[in-house]
Amino acid sequence: MLETLAAGAIGIGAASFLLLGVLVGWLVPVRIGIVAGVMAFGAGALISTLAFELVGEAHAVGGLVPTLGGFLAGAVLYVLADIALARQGARARKRSIALQSEPGVHAAPVVPAASAGIGLAVAMGALLDGVPESLVLGLSIAEGGVVSIPMLVAVAVSNVPEGLSSAAGMKHEGRTARYVFGVWGGIVLASGLAAMLGFALLSSASPEVVAVVTTIAAGGIMAMVANTMIPEAFASDRSLTGLWAALGFALAFALYQLG
């Protein structure tokens, strides 16, 4: 029971960086380039963690076919859910209003605050992005008894610009502070529950089962990075996106090797 609660606490801890981003985005006008740089850095860190820690170790335990099958299944599931949410208005959930209005950036028009369904779609999209990450954190405890530090760092770093960008956009739409922080606080709690669920359901599962579930979550994370994080970062800063992503990749790789 204590380990399950610990997994939930770790999931909430990583997701709480969403609230940090929301707070900054609500109070401070942050330059677009900074948001894009942090987002690209987080994307690189996630890709590195996927390659070396999640997919690589899953392959060592479960073999090539289950690993590839789970990874592709996770990507397909994420993309289908993302398409459904995009039709409801959540396509630009990582995009701040400053980025939306940047000259030369082609983005969907800002939606009026009266469209409550858009706010819900954005929240559901953020939850879609966060659940696979939190699930993997819970699985890492179930698999090895300790949290994956590279994954924890990658999730935390990638959460800051998401909360920052979305909060800035929602504030511009006329949302109240209670609404914005309530929505993102709920997402943080849901992320903690996902981490608990990942641990509770799979703490006694065979290594092969854990490997397959891990790759399903990893496929969803990879699709999220490609669908949302990299395009949003590149849309506002086309000169340094690759460098920031490479630095994030290098940091996560170093943490993996040192761990």
Side-chain angles (χ1 to χ4, degrees):
M1 182 63 181
L2 288 178
E3 288 180 321
T4 303
L5 293 175
I10 290 169
I12 289 175
S16 66
F17 281 81
L18 283 168
L19 285 180
L20 174 62
V22 169
L23 181 64
V24 174
W26 187 264
L27 298 177
V28 182
V30 181
R31 291 180 57 187
I32 302 171
I34 295 176
V35 179
V38 177
M39 192 171 292
F41 185 91
L46 283 172
I47 291 172
S48 179
T49 305
L50 293 177
F52 294 103
E53 180 159 354
L54 301 183
V55 177
E57 293 186 3
H59 171 257
V61 173
L64 181 61
V65 174
T67 299
L68 289 180
F71 187 79
L72 293 175
V76 169
L77 289 173
Y78 177 90
V79 169
L80 291 176
D82 191 47
I83 290 172
L85 288 170
R87 291 174 178 171
Q88 303 301 316
R91 182 179 301 279
R93 56 183 175 273
K94 286 181 167 61
R95 182 173 298 164
S96 68
I97 186 59
L99 197 160
Q100 290 174 350
S101 59
E102 182 75 359
V105 175
H106 301 287
V110 178
V111 180
S115 184
I118 300 299
L120 179 60
V122 170
M124 292 301 296
L127 190 60
L128 174 66
D129 297 343
V131 165
E133 297 170 343
S134 300
L135 184 62
V136 166
L137 288 172
L139 286 172
S140 70
I141 300 176
E143 192 172 18
V146 294
V147 66
S148 164
I149 297 301
M151 188 66 198
L152 183 62
V153 170
V155 171
V157 171
S158 66
N159 278 342
V160 172
E162 178 173 3
L164 193 159
S165 299
S166 297
M170 294 171 86
K171 182 179 181 180
H172 181 83
E173 292 175 4
R175 303 293 182 182
T176 65
R178 169 184 268 183
Y179 176 88
V180 173
F181 285 92
V183 165
W184 289 97
I187 292 171
V188 170
L189 291 177
S191 297
L193 291 175
M196 292 176 65
L197 187 64
F199 177 85
L201 294 181
L202 296 166
S203 58
S204 59
S206 68
E208 291 78 11
V209 172
V210 173
V212 171
V213 175
T214 298
T215 56
I216 291 174
I221 296 171
M222 184 68 228
M224 180 270 291
V225 169
N227 270 20
T228 62
M229 294 185 70
I230 292 177
E232 299 296 356
F234 185 74
S236 62
D237 185 357
R238 302 189 179 188
S239 57
L240 297 178
T241 300
L243 177 60
W244 284 117
L247 289 173
F249 186 99
L251 173 64
F253 177 71
L255 290 174
Y256 173 73
Q257 294 297 327
L258 293 173

